[in-house]
Amino acid sequence: MNGRPMPCSQEELGSLFLFEKLAPDQLARLCREGRVEEFAPGPVYGEGDAATCFYVLLEGTLVLSRRIGDYDVEITRSSGRGVYAGAFQAYLGDRLRQVYNSSLQVIAPSRFFVLPAETFAAIMREWFPMAVHLLEGLFFGAKSTQEAVGQRERLLALGSLSAGLTHELNNPATAAVRATSALRERVAGMRHKLGIIAARTYRRDSLETLIDVQERTAERVAKATTLSPLEASDREDTLSDWLEDHGIGDGWQLAPIFVQAGLDTDWLDQIAATVDADTLEGAVRWLNYTVETELLMNEIEESTHRVSTLVTAAKQYSQLDRAPYQVANVHELLDSTLLMVSAKIGPHITVVKDYDRSLPKIPAYPSELNQVWTNLIDNALSAMNSTGADGTLTVRTAREGDHLLVEICDTGPGVPAEIRDRVFDPFFTTKPVGEGTGLGLDISWRIVINKHNGDLRFHSVPGDTRFQVRLPLASADPHPPETPETPQEPQEPT
């Protein structure tokens, strides 16, 4: 938006803190190559537009704002003479994408000194070459540092993920190996018992009934329900007494296995009615091998299913086999993230999932959202682990208008008031040296705000800290272009 041209006064420019040290010929050049414009209340330029001019306020009131989701958030309001905005990084040239990183409007008739970006860049390099070199080094040095530390942050996250996944995979894999070894022994024992039974005289109908009992026993094992410790103990005592009364030694060793399989004295009575008293013990022990075999196969099945579940969760978490941008189920992303960080969830922390399952899928970059969930959950766990007390991690989803809300809550000590304005700053961390890079929340902010047009904020009091992510339910562009993550550009100083 162009303002109304007005005369440029060297004396007025020289009275501003920005130009007060300039020589008369320098002020004359500014007036000659720049201009003064008066703007009526309204917009001056928009965020994302090509940065063509450098603006210095001479009189009036300006407001700088940034677009966050569907809202314009005011970041600066000032009436101070000399405050500046616009293309103030033009001296960096093509090495930086020259666009306005906020919107400028005036709320009262205001006058600005306006300098074309090319002129501002040339003057800076000509008048202040050393300062330009220092500013370039500061900007690009900070950018390189942020990229290097960001890469380190991702490597640390990958290492943590790998360690957690290895830990989780080790348990079911070890259980499957152990159960397979035990199963081999039980099958060998069953063959031995079968040989003993075959060597004895059994009536044909008795053998058929015994085999029928074996089949029904296997079915019963598959349907066994879990008993409370007290119920299991009482049933073990009852079965031990039955076995002892029927002359079967070491009944206390067999009873726990039968109880685990959901078998009771009625089942044993069926066996006793099927075979003679002399062969009862052999038949019971042979069926015991059947029970153990079924239980071991159940354990192997559960272990391998657990491995498969972990691999599926890892694929869901990493999104390696999926398009970067897709319609995603946020609950699946949250579940896969919780599974990946489960190794960090100690026994003193309770996880509560408060999901609104009616929420629709949303257009998103799933792998990057998983990075956000990882950072927020990791911070919540660290906060609660620092106290050593019992804690609760709550992951909640809900609908708020045309946005989906994801809330990560913890019962830790809270965010101290004196640092709340800095939690999203790059490199700021409260963790001990070596444990945090200070980029987790900064990366999360850029993923949510810049890539998803969402909102990330938090509320914190001791015992209740809530980081809230709001994501739009629909995207204006279903196939947005891929944009690389870049360091957050500084806001216009005032």
Side-chain angles (χ1 to χ4, degrees), residues 287-344:
L287 291 174
N288 175 65
Y289 280 118
T290 299
V291 171
E292 287 189 306
T293 300
E294 290 295 322
L295 291 175
L296 288 170
M297 287 192 294
N298 286 346
E299 185 176 348
I300 293 172
E301 182 181 20
E302 291 173 2
S303 298
T304 52
H305 177 70
R306 175 67 174 167
V307 171
S308 177
T309 300
L310 286 166
V311 171
T312 301
K315 289 176 64 178
Q316 171 71 28
Y317 179 85
S318 63
Q319 298 286 314
L320 290 177
D321 59 345
R322 304 188 182 188
Y325 187 81
Q326 59 181 282
V327 177
N329 186 324
V330 170
H331 298 132
E332 291 179 357
L333 303 182
L334 290 168
D335 285 341
S336 66
T337 303
L338 286 169
L339 189 56
M340 291 299 100
V341 302
S342 59
K344 295 184 179 182

Side-chain angles (χ1 to χ4, degrees), residues 39-40 63 81 106 110 153 180 332 356 391 403-404 476:
F39 292 85
V63 175
R81 297 179 68 252
V106 294
S110 302
E153 176 87 8
T180 302
E332 291 179 357
D356 179 357
H403 283 71
L404 182 150

